[in-house]
Amino acid sequence: MSALRERLRFELPVVQAGMGGGIAGAELAAAVSEAGGLGTIGIAEPEHLRREIAAARERTSKPVAANLLLPFARRGHWEAARQADAIVTFWGRPRRRAPGVWIHQCGSVAEALAAHRAGADAVIAQGIEAGGHVRGKVPALELLAAVRAALPPGYPVLVAGGIAEAADVAAALDAGADAAVLGTRFLLTDESRARLAYKQRLLEARETVLTELFGLGWPAAPHRVTWNEAAERWLAGDRRGPAWVRALHRVLSPAVKRLPESAQARGLAQQRPDRPFLGPQPPAEGTPDGLLDSGPLYAGECVARIHDLRPAGELVRELARA
Ligand SMILES: Cc1cc2nc3c(=O)[nH]c(=O)nc-3n(C[C@H](O)[C@H](O)[C@H](O)COP(=O)(O)O)c2cc1C
């Protein structure tokens, strides 16, 4: 068993990616961990994150991780995330900000080396085929090989992007990964808090696009989504989104990030496919109906190969069956 899995005490080489915006909560993370994988709670406001970790602990005595997106993580987030058994960070300069097990998701060899130097206990090599926000520029297994070669032997490297079936997990392990990290496949489970209509859209999706369209509040950060009304309307030309829309997002984002939660919720209710004020919140439970066509339907390329909603625990056991 890999050193990281031994240290964290999770048995199966399957990690559920922390998915923010309310998608990955306690039910999903606990179901994955209870089955022997490592479940991860997505970033949320500090008090909420704390409650989710506590709720996961009530459901399982196995280890649970918390995910933090560095552009949004404030001191309160770090304090809350410390209640988890591991912190997984993403998007930004890797720096150790809490004791305990720290894993950083990377999109390049340079970023993986920086995380290692900063004291990360493991890195995740994320490929370009991944769903959600994408740091990778090359396919996952290619980045895995390059990161493996650059880091000391035995240093834990996980891989994310395009993993949906047991054969994919086996291929990742054969290629030297300590564990496989899956987002889209775990979004399509009974326990994820994506709205049912979002899950149904993904079950029918065949194609994804890497864009910067939903960048109000998080500009210039490429993300992979499947098509909906907003994507079709704005991405006919430049797949990144019209240059003026991206410029508008860059200008408005600092103010949007400072808005209190209540004002952000009002903005979300007014988001429309034909208005350029398109933010990163996906259609999670409790979000306005309109978000299905005006918000990002995050999905990885592997969405084309996923045709069912599954209980997460059953899925973990099946994925690990090599
Ligand atoms: C709906 C969704 C939301 C995501 N949100 C986050 C996030 O908040 N933090 C993070 O580190 N990664 C996030 N990711 C990216 C995952 O960590 C992972 O790299 C990706 O899901 C792997 O590719 P796959 O979707 O093909 O499995 C998200 C992915 C998806 C599909």
mmCIF file of all heavy atoms in Angstrom, residues 25-61:
data_model
loop_
_atom_site.group_PDB
_atom_site.id
_atom_site.type_symbol
_atom_site.label_atom_id
_atom_site.label_comp_id
_atom_site.label_asym_id
_atom_site.label_seq_id
_atom_site.Cartn_x
_atom_site.Cartn_y
_atom_site.Cartn_z
ATOM 1 N N GLY A 25 -20.746 17.314 -0.416
ATOM 2 C CA GLY A 25 -20.969 17.540 1.009
ATOM 3 C C GLY A 25 -20.710 16.281 1.811
ATOM 4 O O GLY A 25 -20.034 15.338 1.349
ATOM 5 N N ALA A 26 -21.263 16.282 3.022
ATOM 6 C CA ALA A 26 -20.984 15.200 3.969
ATOM 7 C C ALA A 26 -21.446 13.832 3.477
ATOM 8 O O ALA A 26 -20.741 12.832 3.658
ATOM 9 C CB ALA A 26 -21.670 15.520 5.299
ATOM 10 N N GLU A 27 -22.622 13.761 2.842
ATOM 11 C CA GLU A 27 -23.147 12.437 2.442
ATOM 12 C C GLU A 27 -22.201 11.765 1.457
ATOM 13 O O GLU A 27 -21.915 10.576 1.563
ATOM 14 C CB GLU A 27 -24.525 12.540 1.769
ATOM 15 C CG GLU A 27 -25.619 13.159 2.605
ATOM 16 C CD GLU A 27 -25.604 14.682 2.535
ATOM 17 O OE1 GLU A 27 -24.810 15.238 1.761
ATOM 18 O OE2 GLU A 27 -26.371 15.299 3.296
ATOM 19 N N LEU A 28 -21.753 12.546 0.454
ATOM 20 C CA LEU A 28 -20.883 11.968 -0.571
ATOM 21 C C LEU A 28 -19.526 11.578 0.022
ATOM 22 O O LEU A 28 -19.063 10.435 -0.149
ATOM 23 C CB LEU A 28 -20.697 12.960 -1.734
ATOM 24 C CG LEU A 28 -19.764 12.515 -2.859
ATOM 25 C CD1 LEU A 28 -20.217 11.193 -3.473
ATOM 26 C CD2 LEU A 28 -19.659 13.590 -3.945
ATOM 27 N N ALA A 29 -18.908 12.513 0.737
ATOM 28 C CA ALA A 29 -17.577 12.239 1.276
ATOM 29 C C ALA A 29 -17.619 11.044 2.230
ATOM 30 O O ALA A 29 -16.745 10.151 2.180
ATOM 31 C CB ALA A 29 -17.032 13.476 1.991
ATOM 32 N N ALA A 30 -18.643 10.991 3.083
ATOM 33 C CA ALA A 30 -18.719 9.896 4.054
ATOM 34 C C ALA A 30 -18.971 8.556 3.352
ATOM 35 O O ALA A 30 -18.385 7.536 3.740
ATOM 36 C CB ALA A 30 -19.822 10.177 5.072
ATOM 37 N N ALA A 31 -19.793 8.561 2.322
ATOM 38 C CA ALA A 31 -20.082 7.299 1.615
ATOM 39 C C ALA A 31 -18.809 6.755 0.962
ATOM 40 O O ALA A 31 -18.541 5.549 0.988
ATOM 41 C CB ALA A 31 -21.178 7.518 0.574
ATOM 42 N N VAL A 32 -18.019 7.666 0.375
ATOM 43 C CA VAL A 32 -16.781 7.241 -0.293
ATOM 44 C C VAL A 32 -15.791 6.699 0.748
ATOM 45 O O VAL A 32 -15.202 5.625 0.572
ATOM 46 C CB VAL A 32 -16.164 8.424 -1.088
ATOM 47 C CG1 VAL A 32 -14.751 8.088 -1.562
ATOM 48 C CG2 VAL A 32 -17.065 8.791 -2.262
ATOM 49 N N SER A 33 -15.622 7.439 1.838
ATOM 50 C CA SER A 33 -14.663 7.014 2.865
ATOM 51 C C SER A 33 -15.107 5.713 3.528
ATOM 52 O O SER A 33 -14.292 4.815 3.764
ATOM 53 C CB SER A 33 -14.492 8.110 3.922
ATOM 54 O OG SER A 33 -13.831 9.227 3.354
ATOM 55 N N GLU A 34 -16.378 5.628 3.820
ATOM 56 C CA GLU A 34 -16.891 4.429 4.489
ATOM 57 C C GLU A 34 -16.636 3.179 3.640
ATOM 58 O O GLU A 34 -16.377 2.102 4.161
ATOM 59 C CB GLU A 34 -18.388 4.612 4.801
ATOM 60 C CG GLU A 34 -19.049 3.510 5.594
ATOM 61 C CD GLU A 34 -18.401 3.250 6.958
ATOM 62 O OE1 GLU A 34 -17.759 4.152 7.516
ATOM 63 O OE2 GLU A 34 -18.535 2.114 7.464
ATOM 64 N N ALA A 35 -16.669 3.348 2.315
ATOM 65 C CA ALA A 35 -16.434 2.208 1.413
ATOM 66 C C ALA A 35 -14.949 1.887 1.269
ATOM 67 O O ALA A 35 -14.590 0.913 0.605
ATOM 68 C CB ALA A 35 -17.048 2.506 0.046
ATOM 69 N N GLY A 36 -14.071 2.725 1.835
ATOM 70 C CA GLY A 36 -12.641 2.417 1.776
ATOM 71 C C GLY A 36 -11.828 3.359 0.915
ATOM 72 O O GLY A 36 -10.610 3.244 0.825
ATOM 73 N N GLY A 37 -12.508 4.310 0.235
ATOM 74 C CA GLY A 37 -11.778 5.326 -0.529
ATOM 75 C C GLY A 37 -11.507 6.527 0.367
ATOM 76 O O GLY A 37 -11.607 6.421 1.595
ATOM 77 N N LEU A 38 -11.155 7.678 -0.246
ATOM 78 C CA LEU A 38 -11.025 8.906 0.534
ATOM 79 C C LEU A 38 -12.027 9.918 -0.001
ATOM 80 O O LEU A 38 -11.925 10.350 -1.159
ATOM 81 C CB LEU A 38 -9.598 9.474 0.433
ATOM 82 C CG LEU A 38 -9.367 10.779 1.224
ATOM 83 C CD1 LEU A 38 -9.507 10.551 2.737
ATOM 84 C CD2 LEU A 38 -7.997 11.368 0.907
ATOM 85 N N GLY A 39 -12.999 10.265 0.833
ATOM 86 C CA GLY A 39 -14.002 11.256 0.458
ATOM 87 C C GLY A 39 -13.521 12.649 0.807
ATOM 88 O O GLY A 39 -12.764 12.827 1.770
ATOM 89 N N THR A 40 -13.962 13.644 0.037
ATOM 90 C CA THR A 40 -13.496 15.019 0.243
ATOM 91 C C THR A 40 -14.676 15.989 0.211
ATOM 92 O O THR A 40 -15.469 15.956 -0.736
ATOM 93 C CB THR A 40 -12.493 15.425 -0.867
ATOM 94 O OG1 THR A 40 -11.516 14.396 -1.013
ATOM 95 C CG2 THR A 40 -11.798 16.737 -0.538
ATOM 96 N N ILE A 41 -14.735 16.849 1.192
ATOM 97 C CA ILE A 41 -15.784 17.868 1.244
ATOM 98 C C ILE A 41 -15.293 19.096 0.500
ATOM 99 O O ILE A 41 -14.161 19.543 0.693
ATOM 100 C CB ILE A 41 -16.139 18.169 2.707
ATOM 101 C CG1 ILE A 41 -16.848 16.927 3.280
ATOM 102 C CG2 ILE A 41 -17.024 19.402 2.835
ATOM 103 C CD1 ILE A 41 -17.003 16.918 4.744
ATOM 104 N N GLY A 42 -16.147 19.642 -0.370
ATOM 105 C CA GLY A 42 -15.773 20.807 -1.171
ATOM 106 C C GLY A 42 -15.778 22.078 -0.330
ATOM 107 O O GLY A 42 -16.407 22.134 0.737
ATOM 108 N N ILE A 43 -15.103 23.108 -0.838
ATOM 109 C CA ILE A 43 -15.025 24.377 -0.093
ATOM 110 C C ILE A 43 -16.422 24.968 0.105
ATOM 111 O O ILE A 43 -17.282 24.865 -0.773
ATOM 112 C CB ILE A 43 -14.081 25.394 -0.795
ATOM 113 C CG1 ILE A 43 -13.864 26.633 0.082
ATOM 114 C CG2 ILE A 43 -14.586 25.760 -2.176
ATOM 115 C CD1 ILE A 43 -12.745 27.555 -0.402
ATOM 116 N N ALA A 44 -16.622 25.552 1.277
ATOM 117 C CA ALA A 44 -17.864 26.249 1.617
ATOM 118 C C ALA A 44 -17.474 27.333 2.609
ATOM 119 O O ALA A 44 -16.325 27.365 3.076
ATOM 120 C CB ALA A 44 -18.845 25.274 2.249
ATOM 121 N N GLU A 45 -18.405 28.211 2.945
ATOM 122 C CA GLU A 45 -18.128 29.221 3.970
ATOM 123 C C GLU A 45 -17.661 28.510 5.241
ATOM 124 O O GLU A 45 -18.142 27.396 5.533
ATOM 125 C CB GLU A 45 -19.376 30.062 4.226
ATOM 126 C CG GLU A 45 -19.667 31.078 3.134
ATOM 127 C CD GLU A 45 -18.473 31.990 2.847
ATOM 128 O OE1 GLU A 45 -17.961 32.607 3.798
ATOM 129 O OE2 GLU A 45 -18.047 32.064 1.690
ATOM 130 N N PRO A 46 -16.736 29.109 6.023
ATOM 131 C CA PRO A 46 -16.110 28.390 7.132
ATOM 132 C C PRO A 46 -17.064 27.648 8.067
ATOM 133 O O PRO A 46 -16.842 26.474 8.368
ATOM 134 C CB PRO A 46 -15.335 29.491 7.859
ATOM 135 C CG PRO A 46 -14.982 30.459 6.789
ATOM 136 C CD PRO A 46 -16.112 30.444 5.818
ATOM 137 N N GLU A 47 -18.137 28.313 8.498
ATOM 138 C CA GLU A 47 -19.055 27.652 9.450
ATOM 139 C C GLU A 47 -19.716 26.435 8.810
ATOM 140 O O GLU A 47 -19.902 25.390 9.422
ATOM 141 C CB GLU A 47 -20.133 28.640 9.925
ATOM 142 C CG GLU A 47 -19.910 29.124 11.335
ATOM 143 C CD GLU A 47 -19.274 28.085 12.260
ATOM 144 O OE1 GLU A 47 -19.951 27.090 12.576
ATOM 145 O OE2 GLU A 47 -18.106 28.238 12.644
ATOM 146 N N HIS A 48 -20.081 26.619 7.557
ATOM 147 C CA HIS A 48 -20.719 25.556 6.780
ATOM 148 C C HIS A 48 -19.757 24.374 6.596
ATOM 149 O O HIS A 48 -20.111 23.212 6.775
ATOM 150 C CB HIS A 48 -21.153 26.160 5.436
ATOM 151 C CG HIS A 48 -21.951 25.244 4.583
ATOM 152 N ND1 HIS A 48 -22.492 25.618 3.386
ATOM 153 C CD2 HIS A 48 -22.289 23.942 4.733
ATOM 154 C CE1 HIS A 48 -23.121 24.593 2.850
ATOM 155 N NE2 HIS A 48 -23.013 23.566 3.641
ATOM 156 N N LEU A 49 -18.508 24.714 6.282
ATOM 157 C CA LEU A 49 -17.491 23.672 6.079
ATOM 158 C C LEU A 49 -17.298 22.857 7.361
ATOM 159 O O LEU A 49 -17.243 21.620 7.353
ATOM 160 C CB LEU A 49 -16.177 24.339 5.655
ATOM 161 C CG LEU A 49 -14.996 23.438 5.318
ATOM 162 C CD1 LEU A 49 -15.337 22.458 4.206
ATOM 163 C CD2 LEU A 49 -13.790 24.284 4.883
ATOM 164 N N ARG A 50 -17.261 23.578 8.470
ATOM 165 C CA ARG A 50 -17.099 22.934 9.784
ATOM 166 C C ARG A 50 -18.264 21.961 10.034
ATOM 167 O O ARG A 50 -18.055 20.827 10.465
ATOM 168 C CB ARG A 50 -17.090 24.040 10.843
ATOM 169 C CG ARG A 50 -16.370 23.719 12.114
ATOM 170 C CD ARG A 50 -16.419 24.922 13.026
ATOM 171 N NE ARG A 50 -15.378 25.904 12.747
ATOM 172 C CZ ARG A 50 -14.151 25.831 13.237
ATOM 173 N NH1 ARG A 50 -13.819 24.857 14.050
ATOM 174 N NH2 ARG A 50 -13.248 26.726 12.947
ATOM 175 N N ARG A 51 -19.475 22.425 9.734
ATOM 176 C CA ARG A 51 -20.662 21.576 9.950
ATOM 177 C C ARG A 51 -20.630 20.344 9.053
ATOM 178 O O ARG A 51 -20.996 19.244 9.445
ATOM 179 C CB ARG A 51 -21.954 22.367 9.652
ATOM 180 C CG ARG A 51 -22.411 23.261 10.785
ATOM 181 C CD ARG A 51 -23.889 23.598 10.628
ATOM 182 N NE ARG A 51 -24.233 24.205 9.343
ATOM 183 C CZ ARG A 51 -24.117 25.503 9.064
ATOM 184 N NH1 ARG A 51 -23.675 26.337 9.974
ATOM 185 N NH2 ARG A 51 -24.452 25.965 7.875
ATOM 186 N N GLU A 52 -20.182 20.534 7.808
ATOM 187 C CA GLU A 52 -20.132 19.393 6.870
ATOM 188 C C GLU A 52 -19.123 18.342 7.340
ATOM 189 O O GLU A 52 -19.369 17.145 7.255
ATOM 190 C CB GLU A 52 -19.758 19.868 5.458
ATOM 191 C CG GLU A 52 -20.819 20.701 4.779
ATOM 192 C CD GLU A 52 -22.089 19.924 4.451
ATOM 193 O OE1 GLU A 52 -22.027 18.696 4.245
ATOM 194 O OE2 GLU A 52 -23.162 20.547 4.418
ATOM 195 N N ILE A 53 -17.980 18.821 7.829
ATOM 196 C CA ILE A 53 -16.969 17.867 8.314
ATOM 197 C C ILE A 53 -17.539 17.104 9.510
ATOM 198 O O ILE A 53 -17.440 15.868 9.595
ATOM 199 C CB ILE A 53 -15.642 18.574 8.665
ATOM 200 C CG1 ILE A 53 -15.028 19.205 7.410
ATOM 201 C CG2 ILE A 53 -14.647 17.606 9.318
ATOM 202 C CD1 ILE A 53 -13.849 20.144 7.666
ATOM 203 N N ALA A 54 -18.202 17.838 10.418
ATOM 204 C CA ALA A 54 -18.794 17.183 11.598
ATOM 205 C C ALA A 54 -19.873 16.177 11.159
ATOM 206 O O ALA A 54 -19.955 15.063 11.705
ATOM 207 C CB ALA A 54 -19.386 18.231 12.532
ATOM 208 N N ALA A 55 -20.670 16.547 10.165
ATOM 209 C CA ALA A 55 -21.743 15.645 9.692
ATOM 210 C C ALA A 55 -21.139 14.393 9.053
ATOM 211 O O ALA A 55 -21.664 13.279 9.211
ATOM 212 C CB ALA A 55 -22.641 16.369 8.695
ATOM 213 N N ALA A 56 -20.029 14.563 8.349
ATOM 214 C CA ALA A 56 -19.360 13.395 7.758
ATOM 215 C C ALA A 56 -18.831 12.475 8.857
ATOM 216 O O ALA A 56 -18.942 11.246 8.774
ATOM 217 C CB ALA A 56 -18.225 13.839 6.829
ATOM 218 N N ARG A 57 -18.288 13.094 9.917
ATOM 219 C CA ARG A 57 -17.757 12.304 11.045
ATOM 220 C C ARG A 57 -18.845 11.482 11.717
ATOM 221 O O ARG A 57 -18.586 10.417 12.250
ATOM 222 C CB ARG A 57 -17.143 13.229 12.092
ATOM 223 C CG ARG A 57 -15.953 13.998 11.603
ATOM 224 C CD ARG A 57 -14.682 13.363 12.126
ATOM 225 N NE ARG A 57 -13.518 14.145 11.773
ATOM 226 C CZ ARG A 57 -12.593 13.733 10.902
ATOM 227 N NH1 ARG A 57 -12.705 12.559 10.325
ATOM 228 N NH2 ARG A 57 -11.556 14.494 10.633
ATOM 229 N N GLU A 58 -20.088 12.023 11.698
ATOM 230 C CA GLU A 58 -21.182 11.250 12.297
ATOM 231 C C GLU A 58 -21.513 10.028 11.461
ATOM 232 O O GLU A 58 -22.038 9.037 11.950
ATOM 233 C CB GLU A 58 -22.434 12.127 12.421
ATOM 234 C CG GLU A 58 -22.402 12.951 13.681
ATOM 235 C CD GLU A 58 -23.526 13.962 13.735
ATOM 236 O OE1 GLU A 58 -24.577 13.734 13.100
ATOM 237 O OE2 GLU A 58 -23.328 14.970 14.420
ATOM 238 N N ARG A 59 -21.221 10.114 10.153
ATOM 239 C CA ARG A 59 -21.579 9.011 9.265
ATOM 240 C C ARG A 59 -20.491 7.968 9.108
ATOM 241 O O ARG A 59 -20.742 6.870 8.661
ATOM 242 C CB ARG A 59 -21.904 9.571 7.872
ATOM 243 C CG ARG A 59 -23.195 10.325 7.834
ATOM 244 C CD ARG A 59 -23.280 11.166 6.566
ATOM 245 N NE ARG A 59 -24.521 11.920 6.578
ATOM 246 C CZ ARG A 59 -25.635 11.507 5.995
ATOM 247 N NH1 ARG A 59 -25.665 10.384 5.323
ATOM 248 N NH2 ARG A 59 -26.728 12.230 6.080
ATOM 249 N N THR A 60 -19.253 8.375 9.378
ATOM 250 C CA THR A 60 -18.149 7.401 9.219
ATOM 251 C C THR A 60 -17.024 7.709 10.208
ATOM 252 O O THR A 60 -16.790 8.879 10.539
ATOM 253 C CB THR A 60 -17.582 7.411 7.776
ATOM 254 O OG1 THR A 60 -16.576 6.409 7.671
ATOM 255 C CG2 THR A 60 -16.973 8.756 7.386
ATOM 256 N N SER A 61 -16.336 6.660 10.622
ATOM 257 C CA SER A 61 -15.168 6.876 11.482
ATOM 258 C C SER A 61 -13.892 6.852 10.644
ATOM 259 O O SER A 61 -12.787 7.006 11.163
ATOM 260 C CB SER A 61 -15.112 5.782 12.551
ATOM 261 O OG SER A 61 -15.102 4.530 11.908
#
